[in-house]
Each structure stands twice: as C-alpha cells, then as structure tokens.
Amino acid sequence: MDEFNLDTEQTGGPVDDRISDVEEPIVDEENDEIIGVMLRRSLVLIFFVAMVGAFVYVFVIRESEPEIAITETERKVVQSRDLGAGGDAMLATIPKVKFTDVTENSGLAFDHENGARGEKLLPETMGGGCAFLDYDNDGDQDILLINSMPWEGSQSGGPVATSQLYENDGQGNYTDVSEQAGLDLEMYGMGCAVADYDSDGDVDVFISALGSNRLLRNDDGVFVDQTEIAGLAGGDSRWSTSCTWFDMENDGDLDLFVCSYIMWSKEIDLSQGFSLVGVGRAYGPPTSFSGDFSQLYENNGDGTFTDISKQAGIQVVNEDQEGVAVGKSLGVIPIDVNLDGFLDLVVSNDTVRNFLFVNQGNQTFEEQGILAGIAFDPNGNARGAMGIDAANFRNDDCLGIGIGNFANEMSALYVCDGAALSFVDEAISTGFGPQTRSDLTFGMFFFDFDLDGRLDIFGANGHLEEEINKVQESQFYEQAPQLFWNAGFDYDTEFIRMNEANLGEEFVKPLVGRGASYADIDADGDLDLLITTSGRSPRLLRNDQKLNNDWLRIELRGTNDNQQGIGAVATLRYPGGVQRRVMMPSKSYLSQTEAVITFGLGKDTQSFEVEILWPNGQQQIVSQIEPNQQIRIVQPTL
C-alpha cells in the first residue's frame, strides 16, 4: 500500500503585514511622496511575507496531516522474455482448460460482511479467508468461509453475519451445516487454519480475527469452543491474519503460528482523516500504524498451548524504536528452506521487509530474511506483500517462494541461488512479474491446474478502494484473477499468463479477490478453485479440463500426533521425471487448501513409486502405483 502519498489540509499561518513607523514629515509636499514610497515598500513586504507563508503552507504544514493523494508510480518499461527456441510449437501446446462458475448451482449462498458503512476503516478491506477441509471424514472436501461483522452500533437489523460451513455431497454440491456444526460464529473473523491438533482423528479449526481468536475442537462433526482452555485467544486488541499449524520441533504434535498485522483501533483510524483527493474519506495505508508482534504457540500435548513468541526469536524489533515491532504480517508458509529437517517460516509483510525465520531445532528461530535475499525487491525496497506460497516448481531441488504484492508492484518469485539460504527474485526473468504489476494480489499459490506435472501459479486480485479508478486510470476495484501456465525451464519464458481464450470467460470475470484455495470438489482428479471477496460473494470455479492427463492424489496418515502428516515431503519418480511436494495446506492469504497432494503426470504414465519423508525423518517407499486414483499412505510403526 505504499503508493499512498500523505498530504494535509490546513490553512497557512497569519501573514505578518505590520508596517514600521515613519517620522512625521517636515514639508506637506513631501508627505505624499514619502507615503507613496512607503506604500510601495509595504506592498513589496506584504508580497514577500505572503510568499514565505505559502512556502511554509505547501512544504511544511501540509506534510503534518494525512490527506491521501493516489498517484501512479513511474512505470519502467519491462519486456517479457521471448519464447525462445521452439516458441511457436510451445504456443500451440498452451492448454485450454475451461473453468465453470458453479457458485450458485453448488449451493454456496454466502455474503461476506466487512462492516463497511462509509467510515472507511482499514479492516473492512482485508477479509476474508476460506478453507477446504473434510470435517466429517467422509472423504470429500467441505468448505469453510470466514465472515466478519458490522461495527458496533451499525447493525442493520437483518440476518446476523456469521462464518459458514458447507458440507460436500461428494459431487461438488454443498449444504449449509453451520448451525448444527457450531460454526455459525459472529466475530470479526479474518482467516483460518485446519488440523487435528488433539489427535482424535478429526480436524479442528482455528479462526484468526480482529479481536479474540477462536479455537474450535471437532467432536464428531460438532465444533466446541476451546479458546480459553487452550490459551489461544490472542487478546481483544490484536489484529490477527494468516495462521498455520506446523510441527516446529518434530515432536509429533502441531504447534501454531499466528500472523499479526498492525496496532489498530477505530479511534486511531478515524482520527487520521485519510481522504482521496477529489473523492473524500479513504482507507489509510499501514504506514500510518505501528507494526505488531506475531505469535508462536507451543502445543503442550494436553489441549493447552504456551505462547513462546519472545524466547523463540520471532519478535523482530525496530532498531530505531525500542520495543516497537517491525512486522506487519499478512502471510506465512512453513517450509524447510535449508533442508535440515526442520520447518522454517517465511512471512510476508505489508510495506516492511519480509521475514525468514530459520528453525534452530530447539524451539528458537533466527530471522535471516535480508541475508537470504527475500526481504526486499531487487532495488532494496519493501513492498505491500500479502499472499505467499513456496514449492519446487522446477521439479528439482531448487525452492521457489511466490509473494503477491500491492498494485504497481510486481509479484515476487524468489528462487534459490545455489546456497541453502540464498534467493534471487526471478519474477522478471521468468516472465511472471511484468504481467502482475498492475494488479493488487492477495491470495497466491502454486498448483498444477492442467495436470502436466509442472506447478503453475494462481493469483486472486482486487483493490481496496471502490472509487480508485476515478483517481488512477489504470486501477479498478474489481480485478480479474490470474493464472500463469508453467511452460517449463527449457523455454526462455517459463510462466505464460493464460487468457480468456484458454480459460473461459467465467474465470476472467473481475471480482474483489482476497483469500483463495483449491481442492478436487467433484472427485475427477483435477483441482478446482475457491476465491473469497471483500464484502461480496465468493466464487467457486470448477475445473472442466479435457486434456486426458494422468494424475495421482495422495492422502497421508501419520501414526503419531501429526495424523495428517503436515510437513511431510512426497517425492514421485516416474519416466517423465521427479516431482517433490510438501504436505502443507496453510498457504495463500488467510486460507487453507485440501490436505491432499495432487501430482499431475502428463500422458501415457504406466507406474511409478513415491517416497515419503515423514516429519520425524522416517523414510517410506511405495512402489508399483497405478495412475488416476487417490491413495492413502499410512506411516509404518517403528
């Protein structure tokens, strides 16, 4: 959000127009002449003082209060890379995959309530999240949509806004079961993370919020509030965003990381007086608010958690302001960056540097984002970073980290550069970055939409200001989602943006995108999309590809407390190559994907083997697997 420029709206100070006294004239004829001279001098003095006053007003006073003028940053000319050798042939092979909007027909009847009633409070722009989950253990993917609520005193008297849980019938048809499941919660919700934290065989839900967070334990399909018992409320004044379950010390149970955004209150927001030049009241940028510390909770194994944030080393402090947090965190992805067997944390921050918390294996972390090269853009500037994901998108040992950024900023694609903790932003060189520059990207993730064995990139886009186009012609409140096809490293342009001709008109229809997720909702092997919006309805896009590519879907079952195998690495070897995927459902922005790994295999695949590296270091190889099925791999007992 750093394109906002702060000005003020104040009047200039009084002009000093006092005239010095003059001696009484001796001769009357001289009096008029003297008066004329003094009058001319006075006018000159008045003019000079007025100019000084105007200078002070423009360059000093007007910088003290925030009227916001939206300006377009200077656009550097960035050329997409040529297709290189075989480019014409590659263009002919760009897949055509129709995505069909099945939101209404599927039974999803949800409207996101952000509380917007004209006051233009920043939280209204930031929700909400979503999750695919199998809450009833019937093998299909249900949907959880997180809602916010009207501000106190502005309730319209209509239906109460709550989060909603939709049960899948196995074919992509959904029924609202929120009330009977106990998830019809009224709160200013933001995001969610889903996992079986108590190891009883069903998945539980953590919901982040502006205000107190919630932990809901799943008791045979009914969710029971365990927030206070578990110690995970987080505080009434905190603004929590993305969150993730992960096992930080490989002890078998799942710990919890919760991003915190800024130190916010309604009173502070309203007192700032943010406005768009020529429009009126505006949403203020995060640069006008202090950062906040994210939280790391250790699972005690008895249903309770301990906040170890401070001693764990995840509280990054501003060097110039003692005790003031640097982070303004919106996204997090746990990933083993240095391949030492422990999950690290990559955190995307809005308008300040991104973090890389390197896991030391003893419940402590070292922040190394700057040293690793992921903190800033290639020019050393912080960006408005939101959604995040990480994957081996080249099907080798090299890790890529994608981050969605603000409008007029390219999305980032940090790629490993030889050393274990060294990355370079290859967004431009891969062809990915230039075509993301004009969009404001929230949700982002890697997934293989055409099942060709290469991970593609999806981005959910949408601006903050409904009237942004009035002051910035290149920007729109509703923006089309983006899908970049991974053409492979053999071509100069690795990522090619898909268009309406390749995806269908229902995919590219603009919306105010925020959270985003994927799952196979209809059990046909390919991945369907869910996009949430701010203040509007979500969009469920069914993948209706007819490419006849083979696939394999893997569900993991661990024997220890981490029953979903979160953090496990699955490596698939087949004649077409090697693919490596991590079981990490928490990603994107405020959202969670299904806890199933999908491998696209291309065509004519016979059989193959899969190696599972479990979080405790145990290796397991499953051979002679046939394609086009979903299998469950159970961790062997030691």
Side-chain angles (χ1 to χ4, degrees):
M1 303 179 197
D2 50 351
E3 67 171 342
F4 291 98
N5 298 321
L6 300 184
D7 292 323
T8 95
E9 205 169 73
Q10 284 190 4
T11 59
V15 177
D16 188 356
D17 56 359
R18 291 173 297 176
I19 302 174
S20 301
D21 293 334
V22 296
E23 294 183 2
E24 185 177 345
I26 298 176
V27 182
D28 287 340
E29 290 80 18
E30 295 175 334
N31 189 48
D32 289 342
E33 183 178 353
I34 293 172
I35 291 174
V37 171
M38 295 306 298
L39 179 59
R40 288 192 294 272
R41 291 178 178 176
S42 297
L43 290 174
V44 172
L45 178 61
I46 292 171
F47 179 79
F48 175 75
V49 173
M51 290 299 99
V52 173
F55 178 87
V56 172
Y57 169 66
V58 172
F59 294 101
V60 180
I61 297 176
R62 282 181 60 86
E63 293 185 358
S64 61
E65 290 187 0
E67 180 188 81
I68 301 174
I70 298 289
T71 60
E72 293 199 55
T73 58
E74 181 182 355
R75 292 177 176 269
K76 297 180 179 179
V77 177
V78 180
Q79 300 293 334
S80 297
R81 295 173 63 185
D82 293 333
L83 297 180
D88 292 339
M90 186 190 68
L91 286 174
T93 62
I94 294 177
K96 289 187 177 182
V97 174
K98 181 182 178 182
F99 283 87
T100 304
D101 187 343
V102 296
T103 310
E104 185 175 351
N105 292 336
S106 71
L108 291 185
F110 177 85
D111 290 312
H112 181 254
E113 170 64 78
N114 58 16
R117 302 292 187 273
E119 290 183 300
K120 293 291 187 77
L121 302 173
L122 187 55
E124 298 167 3
T125 69
M126 305 303 288
C130 61
F132 281 110
L133 72 163
D134 183 6
Y135 91 99
D136 50 2
N137 283 332
D138 63 354
D140 51 43
Q141 296 301 315
D142 312 303
I143 290 176
L144 174 62
L145 294 165
I146 305 300
N147 215 343
S148 300
M149 60 185 292
W151 301 107
E152 184 177 356
S154 64
Q155 182 65 268
S156 62
V160 175
T162 69
S163 296
Q164 291 178 235
L165 176 67
Y166 291 88
E167 181 181 359
N168 191 344
D169 69 352
Q171 297 179 333
N173 302 308
Y174 288 91
T175 302
D176 187 349
V177 295
S178 312
E179 185 174 356
Q180 56 263 46
L183 280 176
D184 54 337
L185 304 172
E186 186 180 9
M187 57 191 294
Y188 207 97
M190 295 299 296
C192 57
V194 179
D196 183 10
Y197 83 91
D198 56 355
S199 306
D200 65 351
D202 46 29
V203 293
D204 314 295
V205 174
F206 177 84
I207 301 178
S208 63
L210 176 65
S212 179
N213 302 317
R214 301 282 185 90
L215 176 66
L216 292 309
R217 187 186 67 210
N218 187 344
D219 289 346
D220 295 325
V222 177
F223 290 85
V224 180
D225 195 328
Q226 297 291 295
T227 310
E228 296 301 325
I229 294 174
L232 293 178
D236 292 337
S237 62
R238 176 157 274 134
W239 184 351
S240 302
T241 55
S242 292
C243 43
T244 182
W245 296 100
F246 77 118
D247 185 356
M248 66 175 165
E249 69 273 73
N250 294 338
D251 63 351
D253 53 33
L254 294 174
D255 311 296
L256 180 67
F257 183 90
V258 183
C259 293
S260 288
Y261 189 30
I262 56 175
M263 300 290 290
W264 182 90
S265 73
K266 184 176 182 179
E267 293 72 24
I268 293 175
D269 201 332
L270 289 174
S271 69
Q272 298 287 330
F274 301 111
S275 64
L276 279 177
V277 174
V279 175
R281 170 74 180 172
Y283 291 109
T287 50
S288 298
F289 301 88
S290 298
D292 197 10
F293 295 118
S294 297
Q295 288 79 52
L296 176 61
Y297 296 97
E298 180 190 4
N299 190 336
N300 298 321
D302 58 0
T304 67
F305 293 79
T306 301
D307 187 343
I308 63 169
S309 308
K310 188 173 183 179
Q311 58 265 40
I314 66 156
Q315 294 188 344
V316 183
V317 179
N318 193 315
E319 296 179 357
D320 300 326
Q321 297 174 290
E322 184 176 354
V324 176
V326 171
K328 299 178 181 181
S329 303
L330 290 177
V332 58
I333 181 72
I335 192 77
D336 185 2
V337 176
N338 57 0
L339 302 179
D340 65 350
F342 292 96
L343 289 172
D344 311 299
L345 296 166
V346 187
V347 179
S348 55
N349 287 307
D350 191 0
T351 70
V352 297
R353 60 187 173 93
N354 302 317
F355 297 148
L356 169 57
F357 294 112
V358 179
N359 194 336
Q360 304 300 298
N362 57 0
Q363 298 182 346
T364 67
F365 294 78
E366 289 186 3
E367 203 289 293
Q368 298 185 25
I370 295 177
L371 293 175
I374 69 165
F376 303 108
D377 72 6
N379 296 318
N381 301 314
R383 292 182 279 201
M386 271 78 74
I388 187 171
D389 194 12
N392 300 93
F393 68 90
R394 287 175 178 158
N395 290 336
D396 57 14
D397 293 332
C398 190
L399 183 68
I401 300 171
I403 298 178
N405 293 317
F406 201 77
N408 296 326
E409 300 172 340
M410 294 185 193
S411 291
L413 184 58
Y414 299 105
V415 181
C416 69
D417 187 33
L421 292 175
S422 179
F423 289 82
V424 174
D425 190 346
E426 295 189 12
I428 293 178
S429 62
T430 58
F432 167 63
Q435 298 184 83
T436 66
R437 196 181 196 279
S438 63
D439 296 285
L440 200 168
T441 302
F442 278 89
M444 171 181 276
F445 50 74
F446 296 94
F447 80 133
D448 187 357
F449 78 95
D450 59 340
L451 302 177
D452 65 351
R454 297 185 298 270
L455 290 173
D456 314 295
I457 303 178
F458 173 83
N461 306 316
H463 213 282
L464 309 184
E465 292 285 352
E466 288 192 59
E467 298 179 288
I468 187 64
N469 185 248
K470 292 182 179 180
V471 293
Q472 194 171 358
E473 292 183 358
S474 67
Q475 288 299 312
F476 297 89
Y477 186 50
E478 294 182 325
Q479 299 178 359
Q482 292 179 315
L483 181 53
F484 291 87
W485 178 58
N486 186 342
F489 192 50
D490 291 337
Y491 294 97
D492 288 339
T493 298
E494 285 183 75
F495 288 99
I496 297 176
R497 181 174 179 174
M498 304 285 285
N499 56 28
E500 181 177 338
N502 296 101
L503 299 173
E505 62 180 5
E506 295 178 7
F507 180 94
V508 299
K509 183 179 179 181
L511 76 171
V512 190
R514 293 296 184 262
S517 184
Y518 62 80
D520 180 9
I521 64 171
D522 50 2
D524 63 354
D526 55 32
L527 297 175
D528 312 294
L529 294 170
L530 177 63
I531 312 169
T532 67
T533 66
S534 175
R536 305 187 181 188
S537 300
R539 185 176 299 170
L540 183 62
L541 294 169
R542 188 183 64 213
N543 187 337
D544 289 332
Q545 59 88 22
K546 304 295 183 182
L547 301 174
N548 296 318
N549 285 329
D550 294 328
W551 50 272
L552 176 70
R553 288 169 53 81
I554 297 176
E555 183 183 5
L556 298 180
R557 280 293 176 266
T559 56
N560 54 17
D561 292 338
N562 182 2
Q563 294 200 15
Q564 291 175 293
I566 290 178
V569 179
T571 302
L572 181 144
R573 296 181 177 88
Y574 66 118
V578 176
Q579 298 182 43
R580 182 176 290 105
R581 307 284 184 263
V582 180
M583 177 62 78
M584 185 51 63
S586 293
K587 61 186 64 176
S588 185
Y589 173 73
L590 305 178
S591 301
Q592 172 150 335
T593 67
E594 63 177 352
V596 180
I597 295 174
T598 296
F599 289 102
L601 302 171
K603 290 180 169 49
D604 302 322
T605 304
Q606 300 301 316
S607 64
F608 39 82
E609 71 173 25
V610 173
E611 176 186 309
I612 306 297
L613 178 62
W614 296 93
N616 65 355
Q618 185 179 5
Q619 288 183 307
Q620 179 182 2
I621 296 178
V622 181
S623 302
Q624 301 300 313
I625 304 174
E626 298 298 320
N628 304 318
Q629 61 173 325
Q630 179 168 324
I631 65 173
R632 175 180 291 181
I633 298 179
V634 179
Q635 183 179 8
T637 57
L638 295 174

